[in-house]
Amino acid sequence: MDPLLGAVLGWLVPVVVVFGVAAIAIAAIAWAIRAARRSPRARARAEAARTDAGSALVRLDDEVGELDLEVSLSGALYGGDAPPSLRRARRTAQHVRDRAFEEFQAISDETLAPAETERRARLIRARVDQALGIIAGARADHRQWTDENVSAATQVDAARRRLAVLRESMGDPQALVRELADRFDESEWADAATAARTALADTAEAEALLDRAAADAADPSRSALADLAMAERRIRSGQFEAQRLEEAHRLISQAAQALTGEFDAARAAVRQAMVTREGLEPVDAERLGTAIRDVTAALDALQPDAGRRPTAAVDRIARLRDRLDLALGDARTAQQRLRGARTALPGTLAAARNAIAHAEAVVSGSPGAAPRVRLAAAQDELAAARQAADPVEALDAARRAMRHAEDAQALAAYARMTRE
């Protein structure tokens, strides 16, 4: 062997060995770090951090609701608008909550690395804690001002005025329920009946609590604050239930009026799909033909009893239109898609509004963050659908709103089941 070559090899081989071993070691360390970051222990830490962030987010959402109540109450006490500190705290809390909802949804992605999930969850928790601190500070300042400047008797009088306004605005809730019961199946108005009963019970309980608070306010040795606070909550609950009743009545009535047009539009969409089918390849034509037959049969079965169950019928028609659109795929021209979206949009918007109304009743007070996050996503999608100028985009957003609302209901039911 050439002495020079031998010298080079004698120098090179150890270097290669050293660097090779170092590279293997580095690769092993990197693999170990990645494995540790995705280990069961890392996933458990990430899930614990996400759960902790979710619990804090639920508290913030509840506090925003309570702050809404305090802002409205303070406006009545001040004889006008709420004090600036409370309004600023509410705006801040609402902004943090809405942003946290979006971030919490993002960290629910199972493909996200556990370390990243944990990092983002801790950021959510930190922002939420900061917002809760702002709320607590504004509330303490306002409570101190109220204690120094507003008597319990004044607060009771203001609450009585709000209760009177509530009773006047909701009228006779049972009359609305009787109207619905005379025309529609019980499945349509059952939630409305529950809302009516709850609204009446809330107003009756609020009146009793205010009577007790007024008696306590007249006695210097007793405090009226506990009964007054509970009465305010009953008034707020009564307002919510009265709104639920009115919304249910409106949705059912509008669905009943729209039924004929929804069936006509759906059957027109089926006829258009049959025309489109004639220009497809045999395999695609057979697949679309199966969907057309199924949708036609479903419409035929739905129509006879639709007048008794209008919101359920509108919801079903919207889902049948969705299935037909999926079967059509890219077979339609842009003009056909646009025309189909225009005719499908009103019913799908109505179905989305109805799904969200049901979700709001179920998710209210849910112990988990996931149902609230999904409900907020449904509300955002519905707002986007209403604002979209393009009917195709609006229809897609309305359909997403329906799916999010259904997921919110399912998640809320699961959260309650696992808590019991």
Side-chain angles (χ1 to χ4, degrees), residues 130-177:
Q130 185 179 19
L132 289 171
I134 292 172
I135 291 174
R139 183 175 287 151
D141 292 343
H142 182 246
R143 189 178 300 114
Q144 180 180 352
W145 184 94
T146 301
D147 292 342
E148 294 174 355
N149 296 276
V150 182
S151 67
T154 301
Q155 295 181 63
V156 170
D157 289 342
R160 285 194 191 280
R161 289 193 296 271
R162 286 190 295 279
L163 179 58
V165 169
L166 170 60
R167 280 180 161 157
E168 182 180 359
S169 65
M170 73 181 189
D172 180 8
Q174 295 295 355
L176 286 179
V177 176

Side-chain angles (χ1 to χ4, degrees), residues 165-359:
V165 169
L166 170 60
R167 280 180 161 157
E168 182 180 359
S169 65
M170 73 181 189
D172 180 8
Q174 295 295 355
L176 286 179
V177 176
R178 287 192 296 270
E179 178 189 335
L180 295 174
D182 289 342
R183 298 177 56 196
F184 306 111
D185 186 80
E186 185 178 358
S187 61
E188 290 284 307
W189 51 264
D191 287 347
T194 300
R197 288 193 299 270
T198 306
L200 289 172
D202 284 337
T203 54
E205 185 179 353
E207 184 174 18
L209 287 165
L210 289 174
D211 288 342
R212 211 158 61 201
D216 290 341
D219 186 346
S221 66
R222 297 158 67 183
S223 173
L225 294 180
D227 287 336
L228 181 59
M230 185 57 70
E232 299 290 5
R233 284 173 172 76
R234 295 280 67 78
I235 293 173
R236 178 67 175 267
S237 175
Q239 291 171 335
F240 175 76
E241 296 298 337
Q243 290 169 358
R244 274 187 60 206
L245 171 60
E246 292 175 2
E247 177 72 358
H249 182 273
R250 183 177 66 83
L251 289 173
I252 295 170
S253 301
Q254 289 180 347
Q257 293 172 358
L259 265 182
T260 301
E262 288 299 316
F263 273 108
D264 290 345
R267 294 192 185 280
V270 169
R271 289 193 296 271
Q272 181 60 54
M274 294 172 71
V275 173
T276 302
R277 177 174 177 266
E278 295 174 359
L280 298 179
E281 295 295 329
V283 174
D284 294 331
E286 178 59 29
R287 177 177 53 80
L288 179 55
T290 300
I292 289 172
R293 289 190 295 271
D294 290 346
V295 170
T296 301
L299 288 172
D300 291 342
L302 181 65
Q303 194 155 10
D305 199 37
R308 291 284 295 169
R309 299 179 176 86
T311 63
V314 168
D315 179 88
R316 178 64 175 149
I317 292 170
R319 296 176 192 279
L320 291 172
R321 295 289 301 269
D322 189 12
R323 179 182 176 185
L324 191 61
D325 283 353
L326 288 174
L328 283 163
D330 296 328
R332 296 172 297 172
T333 65
Q335 186 177 9
Q336 288 172 334
R337 282 196 298 271
L338 187 62
R339 184 165 57 246
R342 283 195 181 116
T343 61
L345 183 58
T348 306
L349 282 173
R353 286 197 303 268
N354 191 50
I356 289 174
H358 285 298

Side-chain angles (χ1 to χ4, degrees), residues 394-405:
L395 182 62
D396 288 342
R399 286 170 174 169
R400 287 193 298 270
M402 289 176 63
R403 290 193 292 271
H404 285 318

Side-chain angles (χ1 to χ4, degrees), residues 28-105:
I29 292 171
W31 178 86
I33 291 174
R34 285 196 297 271
R37 286 178 175 175
R38 295 184 177 273
S39 67
R41 183 177 297 178
R43 293 187 182 278
R45 285 198 309 269
E47 182 58 27
R50 197 179 75 88
T51 301
D52 182 59
S55 298
L57 186 50
V58 167
R59 288 198 302 276
L60 178 60
D61 193 35
D62 289 340
E63 287 295 326
V64 168
E66 289 293 316
L67 198 57
D68 284 339
L69 174 61
E70 290 194 32
V71 167
S72 63
L73 297 182
S74 64
L77 290 176
Y78 281 74
D81 204 354
S85 60
L86 279 182
R87 285 186 282 114
R88 284 195 300 269
R90 181 177 62 173
R91 284 196 301 269
T92 299
Q94 287 173 336
H95 176 73
V96 172
R97 179 200 59 187
D98 294 345
R99 183 179 175 187
F101 274 157
E102 296 175 1
E103 292 173 348
F104 189 84
Q105 180 68 22

